[in-house]
Each structure stands twice: as C-alpha cells, then as structure tokens.
Amino acid sequence: MRYEGVVYRPPSEAYSLIIQVTIGCSYNKCTFCSMYKDKNFRMRKINEIFEDLVMARSAYQSVKRIFLADGNALVLKPEDLKKILLKIKELFPECERVGIYGAPKDILKKTVEELKELKECGLGIVYLGLESGSDKILKEIKKGVSSQEMIEAGRKIKRAGIKLSVTLISGLGGRENWLEHAEKSAKMINEINPNFLALLTLLIQNGTELYDKVKLGEFQLLTPREVLIETKTLIKNLNLDNCIFRSNHASNYVYLAGTLSKDKESLLRDIDRFLEARFDYKDEFLRGL
C-alpha cells in the first residue's frame, strides 16, 4: 500500500484496511493537535485511490472493514465519495463497513439526502471529534465551530442513518475550566445521543500552540487523578440511550468501558475504586496518539 506520512485511525479501526483519500487535514488549526502539521492538505485523485484499492484487493484475501483517511476525508464532494464507495463495493463485496473521519463543518455542508446516499453506497460510520461542549474551550482551542454546530452535525449524521462515533478530550479545559468542560460536554453529548462515545486524554505535543501555553504557565494540566475526577463528573451527567462508551485510547491513564446509560453506576463505581486505591496510573512515556 502507498501511504504519505504518519497515518492515524480510531482504535476501533485497528484491523481495517486504511486508504488515504485525502492527505492531511483541510482545517489544521486546532491548538492541541500536531497530527497533520507536517502535511500540506490535498485531495487525492480518484484514479490514485482506485489504484490503491486494486492493489489492496490483490494483496488481501478478505477485507471486512475499510477506513478512509486522513484527518477529515468527509471533506470530499458527495459525488467523489460515492465513486470511491461504489468501487469498494465492486472490489470488496465482503466488506462489512466503511468508516471515515468527519469534521463538523464538512458534515454541515452536506444535506441529509446526500449523507443518506453515501450510506446506501456503503458508508457505515462517521467519527466526529467534538473535543468539548464548552464554547469557551472550543474558542480557546480554535476548533472553528460552536457547540450548537457540533450538535447539529452529529444529529445530521444520525438522521441519515449512519452510525456516529464521537470523541471528547479529557483535560482539555485545564485546571481552570475542568468542571465546565465536563458538564457542558455531557450536555452536548446528551443532545446528540451518539452510537459510540470515546474519551481521549490530552497529550501536549511539541510544536503546537497549547504546548507553548503550558511552557509559559498559561495552561495548567490536570494530574491523572484530576482527569479521573473530571471523567466521573462527565459520566455522572450523561443520560444516553444504548451508547457504547470506551476510554481505551493509548492516551488514557485508565481503561473504562460500558454501555450508557445501562452501565452508568458500574462505571462510576469503577472510577471510585481507582480514586480510593493507591493506583499506579499509566506512565507518561506509555501514552501516545
């Protein structure tokens, strides 16, 4: 396979065939993110993508899942995405699901009808990075959208019948805004009611604006214990219907898993056990993107 630079994917796509349909991120302004700083954004030519799919078909006997990278591949025009999805159907009839990263603005630019057509062509899940439900924090991290726009984007994916997986970043409000981050993020998630909710934990990467703020003392990081207290507040305020919850990313200090709201009390008890015990949190050098 042909890949340019480091390729990122959600934990649930660990065993998926990854196809780069875009290179980098078309937005690439978030203060905490270093993932695509070494790439100049561009959309790959359709014929190049088809060539990669043909190469993959000759290399793999069976492909159950395919993930379309890079950072916000849903930026592609609906007609181009349809061509790619139909080619996947042609070459990989055994493929059970195609996933993609979607930025909120790219989702909002598409109609529900266009998204439904993409679903019919094989798009099974969209991964949406919400990061925080606080407008104050979203502005500080230069996310470029409001919490209400996040809600509208998430709801649009669900109205189209596509599964929605959203992520929040623990610790993104720092010590000053941790409570607002937890409570307003819970409020936003409740209004979307996604199929999947994943928690990442803030990693400070060299070369980002947030890294500079930490070095200057303008942003106070949470300790692992404080992250867990924030997580407890978040979960306590979540009221969801059959949402699969995971805190299993490489950046997380502890592993949590359940279905919300069915397992809400069990998750809160697990957190309390971590908080009460002399627990050795994951070493910083083991955390990663």
Side-chain angles (χ1 to χ4, degrees):
M1 295 304 300
R2 301 177 297 186
Y3 297 115
E4 292 188 32
V6 178
V7 179
Y8 299 92
R9 47 83 183 157
S12 58
E13 301 288 349
Y15 302 103
S16 301
L17 167 64
I18 300 177
I19 300 291
Q20 280 181 302
V21 300
T22 62
I23 305 299
C25 173
S26 65
Y27 182 68
N28 211 16
K29 296 177 183 177
C30 296
T31 65
F32 62 88
C33 182
S34 66
M35 288 166 55
Y36 304 105
K37 300 302 184 189
D38 61 339
K39 299 180 182 181
N40 293 318
F41 177 78
R42 78 173 196 278
M43 303 178 190
R44 294 186 71 202
K45 295 178 180 178
I46 292 291
N47 67 302
E48 291 180 358
I49 297 167
F50 284 4
E51 287 171 3
D52 280 3
L53 289 169
V54 170
M55 282 193 290
R57 178 71 288 176
S58 64
Y60 302 108
Q61 186 174 8
S62 179
V63 174
K64 296 298 184 183
R65 291 185 177 183
I66 293 176
F67 180 72
L68 303 179
D70 264 338
N72 59 328
L74 200 61
V75 70
L76 290 179
K77 294 178 181 178
E79 54 265 33
D80 289 335
L81 280 169
K82 283 172 64 176
K83 290 176 185 177
I84 295 166
L85 291 167
L86 290 173
K87 191 67 174 179
I88 289 172
K89 275 197 170 188
E90 174 193 332
L91 293 173
F92 301 92
E94 77 278 15
C95 182
E96 298 171 353
R97 190 182 79 184
V98 178
I100 195 170
Y101 279 134
K105 283 190 175 180
D106 298 327
I107 296 169
L108 292 173
K109 288 177 183 176
K110 292 174 173 58
T111 66
V112 173
E113 290 69 29
E114 288 172 335
L115 292 168
K116 284 181 177 179
E117 288 181 6
L118 294 178
K119 180 182 184 295
E120 291 170 3
C121 292
L123 183 61
I125 187 168
V126 171
Y127 297 89
L128 173 60
L130 299 176
E131 326 309 4
S132 177
S134 162
D135 283 318
K136 178 182 179 181
I137 295 171
L138 290 173
K139 184 177 181 180
E140 288 179 351
I141 65 172
K142 298 182 181 178
K143 186 66 179 178
V145 289
S146 67
S147 59
Q148 187 56 43
E149 287 174 308
M150 294 282 205
I151 292 168
E152 291 171 7
R155 285 176 171 175
K156 182 175 279 191
I157 293 296
K158 292 204 68 183
R159 286 201 304 274
I162 302 170
K163 289 190 181 300
L164 176 66
S165 179
V166 302
T167 56
L168 294 172
I169 301 179
S170 298
L172 193 58
R175 285 187 174 173
E176 182 180 352
N177 297 305
W178 75 268
L179 184 59
E180 176 170 338
H181 178 49
E183 292 180 342
K184 293 197 173 179
S185 293
K187 182 176 183 295
M188 177 176 63
I189 297 296
N190 288 340
E191 293 195 43
I192 298 173
N193 194 38
N195 303 96
F196 303 90
L197 168 60
L199 271 188
L200 284 67
T201 303
L202 182 63
L203 278 167
I204 301 300
Q205 300 291 305
N206 197 353
T208 63
E209 290 184 46
L210 192 53
Y211 177 91
D212 294 336
K213 284 189 175 183
V214 171
K215 288 297 182 183
L216 291 170
E218 297 173 0
F219 185 93
Q220 300 296 317
L221 294 170
L222 299 185
T223 66
R225 179 180 174 82
E226 288 169 340
V227 168
L228 209 52
I229 291 171
E230 180 189 273
T231 301
K232 179 180 178 180
T233 304
L234 170 76
I235 293 175
K236 194 173 181 180
N237 284 278
L238 287 173
N239 294 294
L240 302 170
D241 180 20
N242 200 33
C243 174
I244 295 173
F245 169 78
R246 294 289 184 269
S247 175
N248 62 347
H249 190 263
S251 64
N252 296 129
Y253 290 108
V254 299
Y255 175 82
L256 296 167
T259 300
L260 294 168
S261 291
K262 177 174 70 70
D263 298 324
K264 181 175 178 177
E265 295 307 318
S266 175
L267 286 165
L268 291 173
R269 286 194 297 272
D270 287 342
I271 292 173
D272 281 338
R273 279 195 290 269
F274 283 125
L275 290 172
E276 291 166 5
R278 289 184 174 274
F279 179 72
D280 291 327
Y281 295 97
K282 183 191 293 184
D283 287 334
E284 288 296 327
F285 77 91
L286 293 175
R287 299 172 64 228
L289 293 174

